[in-house]
């Protein structure tokens, strides 16, 4: 393909036909369509492109209805509201194709028509915003009809529901797509604040020497949510908090946190180092896992009356390598909790306090911590001890803060999905997980899936089951401010 002209110092993607399966779903409405529109307004989409929506028969639309659906989605969820020529240019590139169940030729014809309108060489991008059990049928359709040529495919999480299903799904996809064409998406890895962990650590000699077991006592990755399952009972019954959040999101963040420095931030060396972390992860011990279910979950639509699906999970993970041996990684997430937050806490070891005899044994639970808030736009906070004013050497808690919104222009920020969609069109796999990494994480998860710990109920608006502190003892959870 000819190299497209550079745009603002970045290469511009090749011309594309983008096909979104599951276009009538929540993900397409909240993230994919608004994200594509923002990229269009920012001038980051290809010079020419077409977007085709596909859905199940009960969601079939005309192309005009699809444009109205997209307009409403962009109005409700995009940072750039639809208006004027920008929206008109975007809307005229939207079309609807009938789902394979109603005749696969219709999709072929829609893609062929779009490619003819664009002219020249055109790449294809298929975004599978559908459940894992629906992916094989679509993959087979694309492969048998030759639509996998010069194409890339985005697979949404969860990628399988256990090791066996993940291996099977990988085999089904790689029958028609090469690994270089497959992008297993986790929007957490597209966050600016997660990317900034790499900058914080590897661009600053101030922090890198601390990033090891000699100095780090524990690490917490904490993602509480105030939302309930929001009417998604049938979906949640088949996943639960562990599959939905830990395997697909929190373990990925752990990989970024714990990795060794790669030789570069390109795809192969970066993913090599993350895979080494996954290979070093100890398989989970169900005795180190706490599962919870919020009161009232059993009354939700689509939930079995005797369900033991967890809406909360907290666990202790271990990375058995020379850098992290003996350092616990505490992971917690859940629905209907006290606050919504996305936070990493790196708890540093406390120094010997012999030269501060009045402080020996004093409680300073919030000191010696580095806290990374990765709820965009994100922030970083250092908590340490300093001398209080006065004649005596009395120590008190001090803080240093960095906020993205106060330091950089937020208008330059791309939301996670926007960033990842752009990287897929550019063919950059650095922020996407390999098949080996996915399968290894399901191996780590296997003991808990096979022998789940009991579910304990907890009140809505709380911090989870009463036994929550047992997971981190003798350490303590860091609570969001």
């Amino acid at each position: 393909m000819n190299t497209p002209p550079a745009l603002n110092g970045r290469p511009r993607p090749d011309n594309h036909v983008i096909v979104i399966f599951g276009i009538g779903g929540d993900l397409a409405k909240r993230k994919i369509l608004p994200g594509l529109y923002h990229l269009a307004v920012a001038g980051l989409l290809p010079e020419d492109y077409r977007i085709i929506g596909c859905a199940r028969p009960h969601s079939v639309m005309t192309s005009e209805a699809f444009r109205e659906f997209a307009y409403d989605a962009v109005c409700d969820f995009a940072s750039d509201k639809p208006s004027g020529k920008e929206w008109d240019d975007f809307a005229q590139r939207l079309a609807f194709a009938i789902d394979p169940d109603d005749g696969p030729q219709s999709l072929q014809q829609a893609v062929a028509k779009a490619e003819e309108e664009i002219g020249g060489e055109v790449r294809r991008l298929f975004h599978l915003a559908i459940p894992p059990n629906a992916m094989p049928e679509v993959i087979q359709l694309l492969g048998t009809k030759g639509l996998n040529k010069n194409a890339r495919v985005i697979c949404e999480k969860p990628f399988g529901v256990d090791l066996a299903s993940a291996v099977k799904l990988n085999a089904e996809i790689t029958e028609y797509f090469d690994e270089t064409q497959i992008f297993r998406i986790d929007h957490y890895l597209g966050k600016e604040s997660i990317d900034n962990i790499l900058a914080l650590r590897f661009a600053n000699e101030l922090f890198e020497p601390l990033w090891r077991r000699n100095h780090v006592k524990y690490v917490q990755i904490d993602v509480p949510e105030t939302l309930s399952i929001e009417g998604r009972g049938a979906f949640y019954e088949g996943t639960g908090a562990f599959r939905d959040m830990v395997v697909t999101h929190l373990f990925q963040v752990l990989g970024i946190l714990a990795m060794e420095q790669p030789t570069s931030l390109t795809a192969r060396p970066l993913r090599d180092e993350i895979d080494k972390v996954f290979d070093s992860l100890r398989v989970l011990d169900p005795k180190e896992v706490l599962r919870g279910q919020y009161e009232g979950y059993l009354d939700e639509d689509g939930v079995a009356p005797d369900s033991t699906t967890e809406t909360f999970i907290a666990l202790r993970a271990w990375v058995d390598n020379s850098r992290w041996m003996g350092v616990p990684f505490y992971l917690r997430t859940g629905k209907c909790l006290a606050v919504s937050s996305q936070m990493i806490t790196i708890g540093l070891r406390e120094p010997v306090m012999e030269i501060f005899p009045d402080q020996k044994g004093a409680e300073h639970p919030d000191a010696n911590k580095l806290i990374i808030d990765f709820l965009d736009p994100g922030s970083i906070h250092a908590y340490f001890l300093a001398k209080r004013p006065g004649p005596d050497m009395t120590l008190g808690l001090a803080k240093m803060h960095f906020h993205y919104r106060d330091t950089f222009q937020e208008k330059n920020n791309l939301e996670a999905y926007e960033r990842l969609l752009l990287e897929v069109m550019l063919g950059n796999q650095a922020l996407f997980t390999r098949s080996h990494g996915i399968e290894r994480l399901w191996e780590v998860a296997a003991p808990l899936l096979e022998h789940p710990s009991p579910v304990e109920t907890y009140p809505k608006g709380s911090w989870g089951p009463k036994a929550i502190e047992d997971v981190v003892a003798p350490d303590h959870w860091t609570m969001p401010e």
Side-chain angles (χ1 to χ4, degrees):
M1 276 203 170
N2 296 328
T3 303
L7 182 71
N8 297 329
R10 286 181 59 99
R12 191 165 191 166
D14 298 316
N15 291 339
H16 267 73
V17 173
I18 302 166
V19 180
I20 305 168
F21 289 89
I23 193 64
D26 200 54
L27 179 62
K29 182 177 181 179
R30 289 176 176 270
K31 296 294 184 182
I32 301 173
L33 288 170
L36 287 170
Y37 180 64
H38 185 208
L39 290 174
V41 171
L44 294 173
L45 282 187
E47 287 188 83
D48 204 356
Y49 61 92
R50 297 293 185 276
I51 298 171
I52 300 172
C54 277
R56 286 291 178 184
H58 66 269
S59 301
V60 166
M61 315 177 195
T62 64
S63 291
E64 186 58 39
F66 176 36
R67 294 184 186 109
E68 292 176 4
F69 175 83
Y71 182 87
D72 291 341
V74 172
C75 281
D76 291 342
F77 299 106
S79 55
D80 298 284
K81 302 309 176 186
S83 63
K85 186 176 184 301
E86 289 175 335
W87 171 253
D88 291 341
D89 288 346
F90 183 77
Q92 72 179 5
R93 290 174 164 86
L94 301 177
F96 194 86
I98 299 174
D99 185 79
D101 288 353
D102 280 356
Q105 286 297 327
S106 60
L107 177 59
Q108 275 187 296
Q109 291 167 359
V111 171
K113 179 183 178 183
E115 291 177 342
E116 183 180 356
E117 289 175 355
I118 294 172
E121 295 181 287
V122 182
R123 285 199 180 274
R124 300 164 181 168
L125 171 58
F126 300 102
H127 194 143
L128 275 52
I130 53 179
N133 60 5
M135 287 185 186
E137 178 186 352
V138 174
I139 290 293
Q140 185 178 29
L141 165 77
L142 298 176
T144 55
K145 297 301 179 181
L147 293 171
N148 57 337
K149 302 297 190 295
N150 201 29
R152 300 182 179 116
V153 59
I154 298 175
C155 297
E156 282 291 340
K157 65 94 175 176
F159 195 87
V161 295
D162 55 20
L163 177 58
S165 61
V167 170
K168 184 174 183 290
L169 185 54
N170 274 325
E172 289 166 337
I173 293 178
T174 53
E175 183 177 351
Y176 298 106
F177 289 87
D178 183 82
E179 183 67 25
T180 61
Q181 297 175 277
I182 303 168
F183 292 74
R184 300 169 186 85
I185 195 168
D186 171 18
H187 71 273
Y188 275 40
L189 297 187
K191 287 173 168 283
E192 293 274 9
S193 43
I194 292 297
D195 241 15
N196 200 39
I197 294 171
L198 301 176
L200 175 74
R201 179 178 169 193
F202 298 127
N204 297 284
E205 193 67 17
L206 173 65
F207 295 108
E208 169 56 20
L210 302 177
W211 223 269
R212 61 187 66 246
R213 62 189 176 91
N214 311 63
H215 304 289
V216 176
K217 186 181 180 184
Y218 63 86
V219 177
Q220 292 178 12
I221 305 173
D222 201 9
V223 185
E225 297 180 277
T226 57
L227 293 175
S228 70
I229 61 171
E230 301 295 298
R232 299 184 303 153
F235 163 79
Y236 213 78
E237 280 288 271
T239 54
F242 180 67
R243 287 183 173 95
D244 187 41
M245 289 294 296
V246 175
V247 178
T248 52
H249 291 322
L250 273 60
F251 276 161
Q252 301 291 342
V253 176
L254 188 156
I256 292 286
L257 276 171
M259 65 186 286
E260 297 294 326
Q261 181 172 332
T263 54
S264 77
L265 296 180
T266 55
R268 185 175 62 81
L270 183 64
R271 299 201 297 178
D272 282 349
E273 296 304 332
I274 293 174
D275 280 353
K276 289 176 186 176
V277 174
F278 295 161
D279 286 338
S280 299
L281 263 176
R282 190 186 305 176
V283 295
L284 294 179
D285 182 351
K287 295 178 182 177
E288 295 186 310
V289 179
L290 175 64
R291 298 168 67 238
Q293 186 183 91
Y294 64 76
E295 294 174 355
Y297 175 75
L298 298 180
D299 299 324
E300 300 273 10
D301 290 341
V303 172
D306 58 349
S307 173
T308 58
T309 299
E310 78 284 347
T311 61
F312 170 96
I313 192 154
L315 61 86
R316 187 185 302 228
W318 304 91
V319 180
D320 290 337
N321 61 22
S322 58
R323 180 179 289 272
W324 296 110
M325 183 69 73
V327 176
F329 285 74
Y330 304 122
L331 279 56
R332 175 175 64 172
T333 187
K335 300 288 189 182
C336 290
L337 295 178
V339 299
S340 289
S341 176
Q342 296 175 9
M343 192 168 72
I344 296 163
T345 301
I346 299 172
L348 300 173
R349 298 188 182 279
E350 295 181 6
V352 178
M353 304 286 282
E354 294 295 343
I355 65 170
F356 303 105
D358 292 341
Q359 299 300 311
K360 192 172 181 64
E363 287 292 325
H364 295 290
D366 292 324
N368 288 292
K369 289 180 180 178
L370 187 65
I371 296 178
I372 301 168
D373 180 351
F374 63 98
L375 183 63
D376 284 338
S379 55
I380 300 172
H381 312 270
Y383 292 73
F384 57 98
L385 293 175
K387 181 187 176 299
R388 292 183 181 276
D392 300 320
M393 180 57 79
T394 304
L395 303 182
L397 184 66
K399 308 173 186 179
M400 291 192 297
H401 304 290
F402 156 79
H403 292 273
Y404 260 98
R405 64 167 55 93
D406 297 336
T407 308
F408 301 111
Q409 293 185 32
E410 276 193 82
K411 68 179 182 181
N412 294 331
N413 180 57
L414 291 180
E415 291 188 357
Y417 256 97
E418 297 164 0
R419 165 89 183 282
L420 293 175
L421 287 168
L422 177 60
E423 297 298 345
V424 175
M425 285 185 279
L426 292 170
N428 180 15
Q429 292 184 301
L431 300 177
F432 300 83
T433 307
R434 290 180 177 134
S435 59
H436 170 79
I438 291 286
E439 292 175 11
R440 173 57 187 162
L441 291 178
W442 285 119
E443 281 183 347
V444 170
L448 181 63
L449 297 177
E450 294 166 5
H451 305 286
S453 52
V455 168
E456 301 182 23
T457 59
Y458 61 94
K460 292 182 179 180
S462 70
W463 280 106
K466 293 180 180 178
I468 181 64
E469 292 299 332
D470 296 343
V471 178
V472 296
D475 301 312
H476 302 280
W477 292 105
T478 298
M479 300 300 184
E481 293 185 352

